[in-house]
């Protein structure tokens, strides 16, 4: 962790998404008649973009103070790591994926419909895991942030609502057609 942390994370993210874009450019889009589009997708897109921006702000507020004042973030002192791998993966890969998915949904891109269940399932499990970690921290006598636990449970419930709606309106053939290369 140092003043170039943002740039290291940016390079990781750009490298990852360059590979993803290469594979995307080799895919053929599915026939449009198989891609279902709904207003729920638009709402889900706005929701995902908002969540990504809020989590970016959360991580960056922790990191920015450390970079500006040239000290190690408090979260790193607690775990004794040179950098927080969760922050690196979130800032470089996970949050951009969630934000890009939101853009795909707002633009009614075929990948938005294809990836929405995957992103929602992943974020639901991630949110529940963080909430459960808070419970285990408390059970082991460590400091647990109940506000974080409650927020994660609320986000998981919202994700599940979107996921259940997506499952009800899904066309089983749209995912197969989207993967034709």
């Amino acid at each position: 962790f140092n003043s170039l942390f943002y740039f290291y994370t940016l390079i990781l993210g750009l490298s990852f998404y360059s590979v993803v874009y290469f594979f995307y450019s080799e895919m053929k889009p599915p026939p449009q008649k198989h891609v279902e589009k709904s207003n729920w997708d638009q709402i889900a897109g706005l929701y995902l973009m908002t969540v990504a921006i809020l989590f970016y702000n959360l991580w960056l507020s922790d990191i920015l103070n450390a970079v500006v004042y040239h000290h190690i973030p408090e979260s790193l002192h607690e775990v004794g790591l040179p950098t927080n791998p969760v922050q690196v993966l979130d800032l470089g890969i996970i949050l951009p994926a969630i934000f890009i998915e939101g853009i795909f949904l707002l633009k009614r891109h075929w990948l938005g419909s294809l990836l929405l269940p995957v992103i929602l399932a992943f974020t639901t499990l991630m949110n529940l895991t963080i909430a459960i970690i808070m419970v285990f921290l408390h059970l082991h006598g460590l400091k647990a942030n109940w506000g974080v636990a409650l927020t994660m449970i609320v986000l998981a419930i919202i994700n599940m609502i979107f996921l259940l709606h997506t499952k009800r309106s899904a066309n089983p053939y749209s995912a197969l057609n989207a993967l034709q290369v």
Side-chain angles (χ1 to χ4, degrees):
F1 185 87
N2 60 33
S3 60
L4 295 176
F5 178 79
Y6 292 121
F7 296 107
Y8 298 149
T9 306
L10 178 66
I11 290 167
L12 172 72
L14 289 174
S15 300
F16 176 80
Y17 283 104
S18 295
V19 171
V20 168
Y21 182 74
F22 168 75
F23 287 112
Y24 167 75
S25 66
E26 297 299 315
M27 293 177 71
K28 296 176 186 169
Q32 289 299 319
K33 64 182 175 184
H34 294 293
V35 179
E36 294 184 19
K37 298 171 181 162
S38 71
N39 289 333
W40 273 90
D41 288 349
Q42 301 283 293
I43 296 167
L46 289 172
Y47 166 73
L48 291 174
M49 291 172 70
T50 302
V51 167
I53 290 169
L54 291 175
F55 274 95
Y56 262 117
N57 286 332
L58 176 70
W59 282 131
L60 294 178
S61 67
D62 184 40
I63 296 167
L64 188 59
N65 284 333
V67 169
V68 169
Y69 296 111
H70 305 291
H71 66 81
I72 303 297
E74 187 66 32
S75 59
L76 289 182
H77 282 296
E78 295 170 2
V79 294
L81 295 173
T83 189
N84 186 338
V86 175
Q87 287 178 339
V88 172
L89 290 174
D90 277 358
L91 293 171
I93 297 172
I94 304 301
L95 293 176
I98 293 169
F99 191 83
I100 291 167
E101 171 63 12
I103 292 172
F104 283 159
L105 289 168
L106 289 178
K107 291 190 172 220
R108 298 185 185 271
H109 192 278
W110 64 273
L111 269 176
S113 298
L114 177 68
L115 296 176
L116 182 59
V118 175
I119 295 288
L120 288 172
F122 173 79
T123 55
T124 300
L125 292 173
M126 182 177 62
N127 293 334
L128 291 174
T129 301
I130 294 169
I132 291 169
I133 287 171
M134 292 299 142
V135 171
F136 276 97
L137 286 174
H138 177 72
L139 292 175
H140 291 294
L142 300 171
K143 181 182 170 187
N145 188 331
W146 295 111
V148 169
L150 181 62
T151 302
M152 292 301 128
I153 290 170
V154 168
L155 290 175
I157 290 169
I158 294 170
N159 287 349
M160 285 189 272
I161 291 168
F162 280 116
L163 190 57
L164 290 172
H165 186 274
T166 300
K167 185 178 180 237
R168 274 190 274 133
S169 65
N171 178 348
Y173 300 106
S174 63
L176 294 175
N177 289 329
L179 295 177
Q180 292 175 354
V181 181

